[in-house]
């Protein structure tokens, strides 16, 4: 794992990002033509990144990514740069409950990826999650203590589309060619991954839904490289890793992987994942609000008044700087200052001071407009609902325009997923203990 | 396609020196005949026109305006679209040229007010007034509306959420500056969320559903000539004088007077406003209060303290402030810093209020403002309603 990304030509990085967004064989080919094959050897037909290992040696938690990712000088985990969410539906001919053959085919394909790519940002990280609709196909319900509801609107009056497909595969890597190659190998016509031949045909199990494919990127400087996209203003801070212009994912503001892991029952070692696909109103955010207002709305009024954040969050180090006192004063701040911070509000959902969500969100320009695929992991969907309620809180005495970032975020699509432990990731039954 | 817009100057006199009112009707006919051209130009803009493109009139500043409502430099011209019905709502959209406005976050610090300066690009200031379809009451409350703009079925802007705003001519409305890629016909889609504000009287229990509305407008030379040419500059010696422009016709409702409110009026022991004629003011906002006896439509069983905060001159309600009430009798505290919650009533419209169990004639009521109205302002309102000291009132026995 390297800790620092070497500077790259911005136009090249932007080109790679665009190729991930397009996807497919030709995008992968173009990626390799650029010499972006992982090791820079320039082989026009081969991705070359660190190899994987025996899958049996890998953690049971699909979501155990933190150990495989680099950290910055403050101990904050740095997420992979390129992301693809592949929406999947069960292929024709796959029965429910699925046959042993179907499970083995899918598992064999996934294990090939694990043998081929190092499980890291330099190789490939992935998770496979299943929707409530998938589990509804089974006669038996999910275990009693596992609740996986369909998602509702994030904000009152919202009317998001709901992910109604069966599963989503989240692929992530610092190498554009890796996410493209892994996707093409599973669902396209690529026959090798990092030089390793694929042994099983995942399309016998899943059909990828091209119109539901989502992509994105995260990293210092990447948002500012997208000012050619309509709705992305030139005034985005050059160093910001996220479209909202500030760092996030601070170590002490994130749930630990332990905190989001299901502890008991047949899916112990798994977690739940929610994905909200949002559009952002960045022109108002960067060109109408000033920095003081942005900090007030994203963090808290006190963050702005005491200048705790810096230009893009660089002054915050390992936490978002919210003390218990600031969190408790949210309602009072609403009346006294006419504004509350997004982080301040959401932090009220902490339990014993511990954040309940592990955010793995990333920026997107899918649809040629700026947005965030807000992806979070939490032990239960109820944990997420609690944060959402803290974020919406209609009792706060502020207009929506000053109510955190509600004025700037539009939720178009939502999905809830169960990420089973690795041993159950291939077409799990709804109640493994009951079968 | 028929152009749904109609001409609506702020003041018909502006068209004497500006563009003849009839030209808009002509523009409508022309557009009917050249629909194809509009469609082809809508999506991609025409950069060749940029050189001599006139965005709007020069933005004139007022030197050292008072910390109060003042006369701006000009009256604006705009086009009013036919009102749209959407569920429980009526929307009245209006279009003008992009112009500066001020956002408020807080109100007392130097960074709390930011000035929005339009881009040099072409576009409109898009606004709408929201009313209750049944009572015609203006709904001056944030509703998290979502606006998207399309040309030839393709999105060209948004989603965006408009700002809650006040202007002297328009009163309370929602609006924003929107850049457009070029001349053409644009379709605006507006989605309204359920109303989160407290409602009373005939409005109670309504606005629970989301509602959608859409309209089209033509952006072209005729539009620009009308809204830019229709601008009417005031005499320069009037700029900054403490007064307000007359509100324009059908889009704005003046507030009810104190006599229109139920209950016992609260009066200022010292006589009210500086000239002693009107209600007391705080930060130049007029503060009207009444005490409504129990058994009213506002509160379950107790008397209700009702406070209307509005602009002077035009009586435009000022929502999204945080007022509180402290009551004393012969110097003894009866109630301390009770938050007054915003609400919209079917008869008296927007106000603030709270139930107060034991308040009597003769009691002293202090209305304090923890934060001033968190609404964006057009020119002439941006220096008022920011620093808002408490107002002393007394319950009368009338």
């Amino acid at each position: 794992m390297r800790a620092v990304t070497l500077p790259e030509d911005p136009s090249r990085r932007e080109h790679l990002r665009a190729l991930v967004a397009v996807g497919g064989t030709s995008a992968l080919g173009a990626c390799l033509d650029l010499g972006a094959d992982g090791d820079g050897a320039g082989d026009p037909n081969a991705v070359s990144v660190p190899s994987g290992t025996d899958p049996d040696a890998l953690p049971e938690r699909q979501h155990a990514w933190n150990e495989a990712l680099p950290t910055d000088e403050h101990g904050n985990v740095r997420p992979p740069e390129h992301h693809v969410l592949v929406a999947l539906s069960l292929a024709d001919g796959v029965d429910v409950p699925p046959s042993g053959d179907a499970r083995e085919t899918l598992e064999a394909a996934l294990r090939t990826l694990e043998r081929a790519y190092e499980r890291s940002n330099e190789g490939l990280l992935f998770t496979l999650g299943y929707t409530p609709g998938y589990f509804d196909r089974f006669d038996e319900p999910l275990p009693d203590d596992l609740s996986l509801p369909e998602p509702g609107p994030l904000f009152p009056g919202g009317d998001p589309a709901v992910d109604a497909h069966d599963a989503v595969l989240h692929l992530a890597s610092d190498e554009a060619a890796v996410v493209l190659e892994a996707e093409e190998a599973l669902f396209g016509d690529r026959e090798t991954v990092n030089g390793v031949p694929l042994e099983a045909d995942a399309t016998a199990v899943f059909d990828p839904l091209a119109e539901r494919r989502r992509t994105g990127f995260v990293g210092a400087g990447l948002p500012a490289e997208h000012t050619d996209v309509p709705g992305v203003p030139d005034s985005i801070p050059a160093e910001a890793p996220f479209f909202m212009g500030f760092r996030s994912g601070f170590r002490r503001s994130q749930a630990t992987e332990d905190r989001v892991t299901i502890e008991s029952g047949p899916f112990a070692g798994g977690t739940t994942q929610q994905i909200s696909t949002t559009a952002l109103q960045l022109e108002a955010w960067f060109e109408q609000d000033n920095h003081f207002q942005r900090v007030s709305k994203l963090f808290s009024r006190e963050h702005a008044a005491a200048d705790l954040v810096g230009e893009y969050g660089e002054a915050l180090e390992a936490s978002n700087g919210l003390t218990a006192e600031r969190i408790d004063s949210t309602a009072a701040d609403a009346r006294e200052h006419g504004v509350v911070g997004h982080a301040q509000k959401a932090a009220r959902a902490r339990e014993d001071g511990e954040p309940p969500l592990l955010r793995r969100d990333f920026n997107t320009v899918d649809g040629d407009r700026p947005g965030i695929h807000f992806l979070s992991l939490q032990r239960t969907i109820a944990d997420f609902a609690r944060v959402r309620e803290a974020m919406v809180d209609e009792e706060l005495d502020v207009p929506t325009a000053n109510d955190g970032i509600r004025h700037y975020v539009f939720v178009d699509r939502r999905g809830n997923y169960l990420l089973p432990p690795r041993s159950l990731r291939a077409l799990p039954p709804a109640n493994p203990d009951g079968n | 396609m028929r152009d749904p817009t109609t001409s609506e100057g702020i003041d018909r006199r502006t068209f004497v020196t500006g563009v003849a009112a009839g030209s808009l009707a002509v523009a409508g006919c022309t557009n009917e005949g050249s629909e194809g051209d509009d469609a082809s130009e809508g999506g991609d803009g025409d950069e060749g026109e940029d050189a001599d493109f006139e965005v709007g009139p020069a933005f004139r500043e007022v030197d050292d305006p008072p910390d109060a409502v003042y006369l701006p430099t000009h009256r604006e011209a705009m086009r009013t679209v036919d009102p749209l019905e959407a569920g429980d709502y009526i929307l009245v959209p209006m279009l003008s040229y992009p112009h500066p406005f001020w956002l408020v976050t807080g109100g007392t610090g130097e960074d709390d007010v930011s000035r929005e300066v339009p881009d040099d690009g072409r576009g409109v200031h898009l606004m709408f007034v929201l009313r209750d379809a049944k009572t015609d009451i203006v709904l001056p409350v944030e509703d998290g509306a979502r606006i998207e703009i399309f040309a030839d079925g393709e999105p060209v802007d948004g989603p965006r959420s408009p700002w809650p705003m006040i202007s002297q001519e328009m009163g309370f409305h929602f609006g924003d500056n929107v850049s457009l890629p070029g001349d053409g016909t644009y379709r605006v889609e507006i989605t309204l969320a359920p109303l989160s504000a407290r409602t009373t009287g005939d409005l109670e229990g309504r606005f629970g559903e989301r509602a959608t509305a859409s309209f089209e407008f033509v952006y072209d030379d005729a539009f620009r000539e009308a809204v830019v040419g229709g601008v009417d500059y005031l005499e320069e010696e009037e700029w900054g004088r403490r007064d307000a422009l007359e509100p324009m016709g059908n889009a704005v409702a003046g507030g009810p007077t104190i006599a229109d409110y139920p209950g016992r009026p609260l009066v200022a022991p010292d006589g009210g406003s500086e000239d002693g004629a009107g209600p007391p003011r705080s930060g130049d906002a007029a503060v009207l209060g009444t005490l409504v006896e129990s058994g009213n439509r506002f509160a379950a069983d107790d008397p209700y303290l009702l406070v209307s905060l509005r602009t002077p001159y035009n009586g435009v309600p000022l929502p999204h402030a945080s007022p509180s009430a402290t009551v004393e009798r012969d110097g003894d505290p009866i109630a301390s810093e009770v938050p007054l919650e915003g609400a919209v009533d079917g008869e008296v419209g927007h106000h603030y209020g709270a139930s107060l169990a034991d308040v009597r004639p003769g009691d002293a009521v202090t209305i304090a403002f923890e934060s001033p109205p968190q609404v964006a302002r057009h020119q002439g309102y941006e220096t008022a309603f920011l620093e808002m000291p408490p107002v002393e009132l007394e319950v009368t026995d009338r």
Side-chain angles (χ1 to χ4, degrees):
Chain A
M1 284 169 280
R2 61 175 188 236
V4 181
T5 305
L6 295 172
E8 278 189 274
D9 171 11
S11 64
R12 183 170 179 275
R13 292 211 311 190
E14 166 56 10
H15 198 157
L16 293 173
R17 196 283 308 158
L19 291 170
V20 171
V22 171
T25 307
S26 55
L28 175 57
C31 226
L32 297 174
D33 286 346
L34 283 170
D37 57 352
D39 65 357
D43 185 329
N45 197 32
V47 171
S48 177
V49 294
S51 297
T53 184
D54 176 4
D56 289 335
L58 296 176
E60 173 72 341
R61 298 175 181 177
Q62 290 197 72
H63 57 287
W65 289 14
N66 287 359
E67 282 296 311
L69 289 168
T71 52
D72 68 14
E73 70 270 32
H74 306 295
N76 302 308
V77 171
R78 185 181 66 71
E81 190 168 315
H82 298 285
H83 297 256
V84 178
L85 297 171
V86 190
L88 301 167
S89 279
L90 288 186
D92 290 344
V94 176
D95 299 325
V96 175
S99 66
D101 279 355
R103 287 202 171 108
E104 282 162 26
T105 299
L106 178 59
E107 181 62 20
L110 298 176
R111 289 169 84 90
T112 306
L113 297 184
E114 288 168 335
R115 283 201 310 278
Y117 302 109
E118 183 180 86
R119 194 170 180 283
S120 77
N121 55 305
E122 290 184 55
L124 176 71
L125 292 163
F126 69 90
T127 61
L128 180 58
Y130 294 86
T131 59
Y134 167 82
F135 291 110
D136 283 347
R137 292 172 176 271
F138 293 82
D139 292 335
E140 296 223 336
L142 285 161
D144 287 344
D145 56 356
L146 202 164
S147 170
L148 189 69
E150 292 285 5
L154 204 55
F155 300 118
D159 187 25
V162 171
D163 286 352
H165 42 260
D166 287 298
V168 74
L169 178 68
H170 180 188
L171 300 167
S173 174
D174 282 349
E175 294 295 338
V178 167
V179 292
L180 288 170
E181 185 184 60
E183 184 184 9
E184 276 302 288
L186 292 176
F187 306 112
D189 53 12
R190 185 83 178 170
E191 290 174 356
T192 61
V193 278
N194 204 21
V196 175
L198 208 70
E199 296 157 10
D201 177 12
T203 61
V205 179
F206 280 130
D207 290 327
L209 303 174
E211 72 281 6
R212 294 273 168 269
R213 185 176 182 273
R214 287 171 275 189
T215 69
F217 53 92
V218 58
L222 293 183
E225 289 173 17
H226 291 83
T227 52
D228 57 325
V229 173
V232 181
D234 293 336
S235 41
I236 286 191
E239 293 299 316
F242 287 95
F243 266 142
M244 295 305 278
F246 296 91
R247 287 183 181 168
S248 80
F250 299 102
R251 176 167 50 87
R252 290 210 291 269
S253 309
Q254 288 272 57
T256 61
E257 287 174 353
D258 285 347
R259 174 64 183 81
V260 303
T261 300
I262 297 169
E263 292 177 297
S264 60
F267 290 107
T271 186
T272 72
Q273 177 186 60
Q274 79 76 38
I275 305 172
S276 299
T277 290
T278 68
L280 297 175
Q281 184 181 211
L282 293 182
E283 283 166 332
W285 179 247
F286 284 109
E287 304 201 329
Q288 297 185 356
D289 286 281
N290 60 35
H291 185 266
F292 188 93
Q293 290 168 321
R294 284 192 291 277
V295 172
S296 297
K297 292 177 183 186
L298 195 53
F299 296 95
S300 80
R301 169 79 178 195
E302 194 172 342
H303 280 71
D307 198 13
L308 299 178
V309 172
E311 187 196 355
Y312 56 91
E314 72 278 10
L316 285 169
E317 302 187 344
S319 91
N320 60 17
L322 283 166
T323 59
E325 185 187 351
R326 268 178 209 141
I327 297 165
D328 290 344
S329 66
T330 302
D333 280 5
R335 284 191 60 84
E336 186 179 345
H337 302 301
V339 60
V340 290
H342 167 73
Q344 179 184 26
K345 275 190 299 177
R348 294 178 300 160
R350 290 181 182 178
E351 281 185 338
D352 302 325
E354 295 293 321
L357 305 190
L358 176 51
R359 290 177 51 172
R360 287 186 173 151
D361 50 314
F362 47 92
N363 309 290
T364 186
V365 290
D366 287 348
D368 224 20
R369 66 178 191 183
I372 294 275
H373 293 305
F374 187 86
L375 188 157
S376 67
L377 304 177
Q378 51 282 312
R379 183 172 292 148
T380 66
I381 294 295
D383 286 329
F384 180 80
R386 219 173 58 247
V387 175
R388 184 186 70 181
E389 283 158 21
M391 201 166 76
V392 170
D393 191 355
E394 301 225 316
E395 298 300 308
L396 290 174
D397 200 356
V398 283
T400 304
N402 290 356
D403 190 359
I405 53 173
R406 287 181 60 186
H407 187 74
Y408 310 88
V409 177
F410 302 86
V411 185
D412 288 326
R413 171 168 284 279
R414 300 202 59 225
N416 287 344
Y417 297 86
L418 174 66
L419 302 192
R422 271 180 71 247
S423 54
L424 285 169
R425 65 186 170 179
L427 303 179
N431 192 342
D433 285 351
N435 289 350
Chain B
M1 164 184 2
R2 192 174 155 271
D3 180 357
T5 59
T6 55
S7 78
E8 180 75 47
I10 300 307
D11 179 340
R12 293 283 170 176
R13 286 172 304 167
T14 63
F15 287 103
V16 175
T17 53
V19 175
S23 71
L24 287 170
V26 174
C29 295
T30 307
N31 288 326
E32 213 168 341
S34 60
E35 192 181 329
D37 292 344
D38 291 333
S40 67
E41 287 172 13
D44 52 15
D46 183 349
E47 301 192 354
E49 290 177 15
D50 280 350
D52 57 353
F53 180 76
E54 191 181 5
V55 175
F59 302 127
R60 311 290 289 271
E61 300 275 356
V62 173
D63 291 335
D64 198 20
D67 292 334
V69 176
Y70 70 88
L71 285 175
T73 53
H74 63 281
R75 295 184 179 87
E76 283 163 9
M78 63 197 75
R79 295 176 95 175
T80 304
V81 179
D82 290 339
L84 308 169
E85 285 185 37
D88 287 341
Y89 302 99
I90 297 278
L91 282 88
V92 188
M94 272 156 280
L95 297 156
S96 185
Y97 56 89
H99 51 248
F101 57 84
W102 288 260
L103 297 181
V104 174
T105 303
T108 52
E110 61 177 315
D111 293 318
D112 293 3
V113 180
S114 67
R115 181 170 185 255
E116 145 70 357
V117 183
D119 290 340
D120 281 341
R122 60 197 69 204
V124 292
H125 186 74
L126 172 65
M127 311 165 260
F128 64 89
V129 172
L130 194 63
R131 294 172 173 277
D132 168 31
K134 201 165 125 194
T135 63
D136 219 29
I137 286 278
V138 173
L139 297 167
V141 275
E142 172 62 46
D143 63 341
R146 172 177 177 143
I147 295 180
E148 285 173 279
I149 301 180
F150 299 86
D152 299 330
E154 295 294 319
V156 296
D157 183 84
R160 69 170 63 230
S161 196
W163 301 103
M165 287 195 179
I166 49 171
S167 78
Q168 294 177 7
E169 299 137 298
M170 297 270 307
F172 183 93
H173 62 279
F174 296 93
D176 202 352
N177 291 330
V178 178
S179 296
L180 297 173
D183 283 5
T185 300
Y186 293 94
R187 177 180 178 79
V188 180
E189 294 188 3
I190 302 171
T191 304
L192 301 167
L195 206 65
S196 59
R198 186 165 63 101
T199 48
T200 57
D202 288 344
L203 304 189
E204 196 174 340
R206 301 185 49 230
F207 316 109
E209 302 288 323
R210 48 200 297 281
T212 59
S214 67
F215 66 95
E216 290 188 343
F217 69 93
V218 176
Y219 183 72
D220 59 4
D221 282 340
F223 172 86
R224 286 185 291 272
E225 282 165 21
V227 300
V228 176
V231 167
D232 176 24
Y233 284 94
L234 276 58
E235 296 295 329
E236 197 162 339
E237 59 265 28
E238 294 283 284
W239 299 0
R241 184 163 68 78
R242 290 188 58 175
D243 197 353
L245 299 173
E246 290 281 307
M248 62 178 276
N250 68 356
V252 181
T257 66
I258 193 74
D260 297 326
Y261 288 94
R264 302 174 190 277
L266 273 57
V267 298
D270 59 4
S273 61
E274 291 163 28
D275 55 12
R281 294 186 192 175
S282 173
D284 216 22
V287 184
L288 281 66
T290 69
L291 184 68
V292 192
E293 285 170 21
S294 57
N296 57 67
R297 65 180 181 274
F298 304 103
D301 299 315
D302 290 325
Y304 183 75
L305 177 64
L306 184 157
V307 172
S308 167
L309 185 70
R310 77 264 295 269
T311 66
Y313 316 112
N314 295 352
V316 172
L318 292 168
H320 301 311
S322 298
S324 67
T326 295
V327 183
E328 291 182 332
R329 184 175 306 147
D330 304 326
D332 296 329
I334 302 295
S336 180
E337 295 182 8
V338 178
L340 302 178
E341 190 190 356
V344 192
D345 179 69
E347 283 180 39
V348 300
H350 183 271
H351 65 278
Y352 300 90
S355 301
L356 289 175
D358 176 31
V359 182
R360 303 174 195 165
D363 286 353
V365 178
T366 301
I367 308 296
F369 301 92
E370 287 188 68
S371 55
Q374 304 294 303
V375 292
R377 290 94 181 281
H378 286 231
Q379 192 184 35
Y381 277 159
E382 80 280 11
T383 53
F385 331 129
L386 294 174
E387 293 271 3
M388 296 184 63
V391 167
E392 310 279 343
L393 299 171
E394 191 177 295
V395 183
T396 61
D397 57 4
R398 278 176 269 168

